[in-house]
Amino acid sequence: MKLLFIVLNILLFFTFVKCQLPKTIYANFIPYGIDSSCSSEVSGLGYSFQPQNCFYNIAHNGLTQRESSFLVIIDALRVGVAQFDNYNNNSCTGNFVNANSYKNGSCIQTPPFITFNGSINSYQLSNQYSLVTISESPLYFPNTQVYSQFDNGGYNGCGSSSDNKNSDSSSSSSDSSSSLYYMTYSTSGLKFSPNDSNDINSVTIECSNGNASVLICKNSDDSSSSCNQQDVSMPCTPGEDNFNEIFCTPNK
């Protein structure tokens, strides 16, 4: 009964109140690896979403959500997330899977925005924890590789997301990125296996001197002879439905 109440509230809020929230509000899921108290260093795969939208094909370098779409909303000091089994459309239709409502400032197990087999600092991230926050602009952290997706209707393309490459604070935000649809980011050193079950390679996210790259190792063999480093930096580039950008924030 409680779950049904949450779902109904999420859908009603999305339908009737979408236009009432300014675009400069973001729902953030700040990663803390396996730390269930979210009190250590930022570590893992994080997200910032412009709420009141349906998110599908959520991506990060080499990773893509291929199972579900997600409706993310903000109501007062809570973030609502509803999951649907149709991943390839922007209307969040299909069979309902799950819904949760998170209080601002709570430490939770990260919703399955992207499912992946990953590790960082030798710790497996099958159950990553995230700090849920609400902010007026998306959050950026040092030494992270950022994938940003922007509304194609935004006349300013990619806003000013990559301006944060020059920030050296522990976290920063952009006050002119109103066209940002969502962003995913990973701390340098995050290692994962691609979603494709036929791909047995491993991918390690790296940031060096502000450059975004990945280290791809055949058969997950980390010896130098089996690995190839590729630059994945991408300036603001128009796609079929949106603009995309990949960059690294500087280290502290």
Side-chain angles (χ1 to χ4, degrees):
M1 190 68 180
K2 182 178 180 181
L3 180 59
L4 179 60
F5 177 77
I6 293 173
V7 175
L8 290 175
N9 274 277
I10 286 176
L11 295 179
L12 287 172
F13 189 85
F14 178 68
T15 302
F16 298 110
V17 195
K18 180 176 180 179
C19 296
Q20 295 185 13
L21 283 179
K23 284 192 173 183
T24 54
I25 289 183
Y26 290 86
N28 308 295
F29 294 82
I30 305 170
Y32 282 87
I34 61 171
D35 179 10
S36 60
S37 66
C38 295
S39 59
S40 57
E41 292 186 358
V42 172
S43 178
L45 183 61
Y47 308 85
S48 281
F49 297 104
Q50 186 186 106
Q52 324 313 99
N53 282 304
C54 177
F55 300 91
Y56 66 108
N57 286 339
I58 300 173
H60 189 72
N61 207 332
L63 292 170
T64 305
Q65 170 60 258
R66 295 297 188 188
E67 296 178 359
S68 303
S69 57
F70 295 85
L71 175 63
V72 178
I73 69 163
I74 292 178
D75 184 5
L77 294 178
R78 302 192 73 88
V79 175
V81 177
Q83 181 180 357
F84 299 83
D85 68 355
N86 190 335
Y87 71 88
N88 200 26
N89 69 63
N90 61 358
S91 60
C92 281
T93 57
N95 295 320
F96 168 75
V97 177
N98 193 17
N100 285 287
S101 176
Y102 306 109
K103 185 178 179 180
N104 184 32
S106 59
C107 185
I108 64 165
Q109 282 197 350
T110 311
F113 298 124
I114 298 178
T115 54
F116 68 102
N117 295 317
S119 63
I120 192 166
N121 299 328
S122 300
Y123 293 107
Q124 294 297 318
L125 292 178
S126 56
N127 293 309
Q128 177 186 278
Y129 288 87
S130 291
L131 180 67
V132 179
T133 68
I134 299 170
S135 61
E136 293 184 355
S137 50
L139 301 179
Y140 298 86
F141 294 87
N143 203 34
T144 58
Q145 191 174 117
V146 179
Y147 169 80
S148 301
Q149 191 173 112
F150 296 79
D151 292 341
N152 211 11
Y155 68 91
N156 57 343
C158 291
S160 61
S161 171
S162 60
D163 291 346
N164 292 278
K165 287 186 290 187
N166 298 318
S167 172
D168 58 2
S169 60
S170 59
S171 67
S172 61
S173 59
S174 169
D175 59 4
S176 55
S177 54
S178 60
S179 65
L180 179 66
Y181 180 49
Y182 78 87
M183 76 171 188
T184 59
Y185 58 93
S186 58
T187 51
S188 184
L190 176 66
K191 179 180 178 180
F192 62 84
S193 299
N195 297 115
D196 187 352
S197 60
N198 296 318
D199 189 345
I200 58 176
N201 297 331
S202 66
V203 179
T204 302
I205 299 293
E206 296 186 344
C207 288
S208 178
N209 299 319
N211 297 318
S213 64
V214 293
L215 186 67
I216 302 175
C217 297
K218 296 180 180 179
N219 301 317
S220 298
D221 180 3
D222 291 340
S223 61
S224 58
S225 60
S226 301
C227 299
N228 177 39
Q229 191 162 27
Q230 296 182 6
D231 184 359
V232 294
S233 299
M234 182 173 66
C236 181
T237 303
E240 182 178 348
D241 300 314
N242 45 57
F243 288 86
N244 303 287
E245 186 176 31
I246 300 175
F247 63 93
C248 273
T249 59
N251 207 342
K252 291 181 180 181

